[in-house]
Amino acid sequence: MLSRTIIRSPGRTFSTSTAMLNRCIIYTQNGDPAQVIRAITYPKLPSPPPNTVNLKFLLSPINPADVNTIEGVYPSKPSPTSNIAASGLGSQDKPVFVGGNEGLAQVVEVGEGVKGLKKDDWVVMDRPQLGTWSTSRNVPFHGVIKLPATGLTEAHGATMTVNPTTAYNMLDGFVKLQEGDWVIQNGANSAVGQLVIQIAKNRGLSTINFVRSRDDMGPLVDHLKSLGATKILTYDDLNDKSLRGKIKEWTGGKDIRLALNCVGGEPTTAISKLLGQDAHLVSYGAMSKKPLSLPTSLHIFKNLTSHGFWQTNWSKTHSRTQKEELIAKLADMMKENKIRAPEHTIVNISAQESDEEATAKIRDVFAKLAEGKFGKKVLLKLEDTAT
Ligand SMILES: NC(=O)c1ccc[n+]([C@@H]2O[C@H](COP(=O)([O-])OP(=O)(O)OC[C@H]3O[C@@H](n4cnc5c(N)ncnc54)[C@H](OP(=O)(O)O)[C@@H]3O)[C@@H](O)[C@H]2O)c1
C-alpha cells in the first residue's frame, strides 16, 4: 500500500511525506442525499484476503439511480454487511452504506489466488452497489472487470458500465435492426440518449431525438448533431399535426420499429403513436415521474410490444464472458473515438479537506443536482494523498 507514517486528527489523516487518507461517502438512513450523506475517514484497510483485490478509486459518477438508492426507492440496494466487512464501519444494528454503484478503479494489491489481474490494472465494477464513492476498497476479484491497458480516459472508464451498456443492449436486444433503419427516442440529451445516438450512428442507424425545449436550443442541437443525431425535435413538436408527414418523408416511408423511453408521461405516449407495425417500445427511465399510458389500439392493430429494460438485470442474467465481451466492444468504440466520454464536471474532494468540509461540499453537489444546476454528469474524485 502507499501509506507511510500517518498522523491522524479528527476527520483528517495526513503525514509529513506521502500520506494516504481513506475516505468514503456514507449514509446510515435513507432520505434526501443533500441531508443524509456524509464523508468519513476510515482506517487503512488490511491487505486483501485471498481472492480479493485492493482497489484505489480514480473517478466515480453520480448517476440518477444513486439518488434513488439513497432515497431508498431503488430496487437494487447496497448490502450493509459487505460494506461493513470492506470498510470496518458500522454494525448489524447500525448499518452503514457506502454510496456509489459505478466507478473506475486501479488495482493496488492482489490477494492470494487472484487470477487475471495485477497491480496498476484499471477495472470497472461487475457487481452493483459496491460503494464506489470511496478512496479504496477490498473487493472480490470476480466483482470487477479489467479494462484495456491503454487508450481510455478516466472519464470513459468511470462511466463505462451503466449508460453505454444500457444504450448498446437496448439497440441490440429487442429488434433486429439493419443499416438504414430508424430509431426514435425521448430524453435524447440524457447521458444514455447521447450514447444511443453515437452507437446507432456507428451501426448505420438513423435517430429521431426528442428533448425538452429550452430558451436557446442552438448549443444543444449542435452538440447532438456533432454526436451523429439525424433529427432533433422538442416535445412541443409532438403537437404538430404535420410531424407524421415529415417523418414519413425522412424515413422514405419505412416503419420505425424501436422507440426508447427515458422520461415516461405524455412524450412517450406521443412517440409510440409514431411507430410502425410490430414495433417495440423499450422503457429504461422515468425522469418525468409521470406514468406511462399507451393507447390500446396500438397493441391491437399495430402489435406494439412494450418492454422495460434494466441493465442490472441484464448483468445478472448474462455470463461473465458476455459482459467482458460487451465491455471490450464499448472500450474499442471509445478508443476509436466513436463514443465520447459524457460532458462532465469533476468534483474533487481533496485529502486536505476535513470530513466536515467534504460533507458540506458533497451535500451541496446533491442539492445542486436536485435543482438541475449541473447539466453535465458529475464525477467524484476522492483524493487519497495529502500533498
Ligand atoms: N434501466 C437501466 O438499466 C438504466 C441505465 C442507465 C440509466 N437509466 C435511467 O435513465 C435515466 C437517464 O439517466 P442518465 O444518467 O442518462 O441521466 P442524465 O444524463 O442525468 O439525464 C437526465 C435526462 O432526464 C431529463 N429530465 C430530467 N427531468 C425531467 C422531467 N421532469 N421531464 C422530462 N425530462 C426530464 C433531462 O432533460 P433536461 O436536460 O431537459 O433536464 C435529461 O435528458 C435515469 O432515469 C436513469 O435512472 C436506466
Side-chain angles (χ1 to χ4, degrees):
M1 299 276 283
L2 303 170
S3 62
R4 293 187 200 157
T5 319
I6 294 182
I7 303 163
R8 290 176 60 84
S9 68
R12 219 181 271 245
T13 306
F14 53 88
S15 84
T16 45
S17 56
T18 315
M20 201 181 106
L21 170 139
N22 292 307
R23 181 139 69 191
C24 58
I25 308 297
I26 62 151
Y27 55 105
T28 52
Q29 64 186 79
N30 293 122
D32 174 359
Q35 290 178 18
V36 300
I37 56 167
R38 66 194 161 92
I40 59 158
T41 304
Y42 57 90
K44 180 178 181 290
L45 294 173
S47 281
N51 299 317
T52 300
V53 282
N54 177 260
L55 302 179
K56 167 189 162 100
F57 283 93
L58 302 176
L59 208 53
S60 305
I62 301 177
N63 288 317
D66 294 320
V67 174
N68 303 141
T69 305
I70 297 168
E71 288 169 339
V73 297
Y74 199 69
S76 159
K77 300 193 189 303
S79 143
T81 319
S82 66
N83 283 330
I84 291 163
S87 44
L89 301 166
S91 65
Q92 287 295 350
D93 297 340
K94 291 190 178 162
V96 167
F97 303 96
V98 181
N101 174 53
E102 189 180 27
L104 170 70
Q106 187 167 26
V107 175
V108 175
E109 194 181 347
V110 298
E112 208 185 306
V114 169
K115 292 190 185 71
L117 288 173
K118 59 179 187 329
K119 187 175 175 316
D120 292 336
D121 282 345
W122 273 13
V123 295
V124 289
M125 305 306 110
D126 183 36
R127 290 194 188 160
Q129 309 296 343
L130 278 175
T132 57
W133 299 343
S134 314
T135 47
S136 58
R137 301 297 300 259
N138 281 340
V139 168
F141 83 98
H142 280 303
V144 301
I145 291 180
K146 186 172 156 178
L147 290 183
T150 56
L152 293 178
T153 63
E154 284 192 5
H156 271 139
T159 56
M160 172 76 83
T161 51
V162 175
N163 292 337
T165 50
T166 299
Y168 187 97
N169 285 328
M170 291 193 300
L171 286 171
D172 194 56
F174 295 91
V175 179
K176 265 198 174 350
L177 294 167
Q178 311 287 343
E179 215 175 308
D181 282 346
W182 288 72
V183 176
I184 197 164
Q185 64 166 339
N186 60 31
N189 65 322
S190 67
V192 176
Q194 295 188 43
L195 286 151
V196 165
I197 291 170
Q198 295 171 86
I199 296 168
K201 163 95 178 159
N202 193 38
R203 286 185 51 184
L205 306 170
S206 299
T207 51
I208 300 177
N209 301 283
F210 284 91
V211 295
R212 283 204 282 194
S213 63
R214 53 204 70 215
D215 289 343
D216 183 6
M217 284 293 293
L220 178 58
V221 169
D222 290 347
H223 174 65
L224 296 184
K225 277 208 169 131
S226 76
L227 297 178
T230 319
K231 300 287 175 190
I232 300 141
L233 300 161
T234 70
Y235 302 140
D236 302 338
D237 293 317
L238 287 162
N239 301 319
D240 174 0
K241 294 228 163 15
S242 67
L243 180 63
R244 193 175 284 275
K246 282 183 197 157
I247 290 182
K248 205 168 176 186
E249 226 172 83
W250 297 336
T251 61
K254 203 174 205 179
D255 273 352
I256 302 173
R257 290 182 301 132
L258 181 64
L260 304 177
N261 167 29
C262 170
V263 303
E266 187 49 37
T268 315
T269 311
I271 65 167
S272 304
K273 291 180 187 164
L274 300 170
L275 291 168
Q277 194 65 33
D278 300 327
H280 295 253
L281 169 69
V282 180
S283 296
Y284 66 96
M287 291 302 294
S288 73
K289 298 194 170 135
K290 300 258 169 59
L292 177 57
S293 159
L294 295 172
T296 311
S297 58
L298 290 183
H299 295 289
I300 299 174
F301 301 119
K302 286 203 170 167
N303 195 30
L304 173 74
T305 310
S306 172
H307 312 257
F309 177 80
W310 191 26
Q311 180 58 32
T312 303
N313 194 44
W314 185 95
S315 270
K316 275 188 204 153
T317 53
H318 287 73
S319 68
R320 190 171 171 85
T321 307
Q322 286 170 310
K323 289 185 261 186
E324 283 171 347
E325 281 170 4
L326 177 55
I327 294 294
K329 262 187 230 167
L330 291 166
D332 280 347
M333 282 193 242
M334 289 170 184
K335 285 201 276 187
E336 290 162 18
N337 224 8
K338 290 174 179 157
I339 295 182
R340 288 188 212 161
E343 289 196 304
H344 58 271
T345 305
I346 294 180
V347 172
N348 197 61
I349 299 189
S350 99
Q352 258 107 349
E353 289 172 72
S354 68
D355 284 346
E356 291 71 27
E357 287 164 335
T359 298
K361 188 185 255 188
I362 187 76
R363 286 186 178 186
D364 185 53
V365 166
F366 276 95
K368 288 194 173 122
L369 275 172
E371 291 166 17
K373 282 196 177 152
F374 278 101
K376 291 177 178 178
K377 188 62 71 191
V378 175
L379 305 178
L380 280 183
K381 196 170 203 48
L382 270 78
E383 283 186 355
D384 66 359
T385 312
T387 48

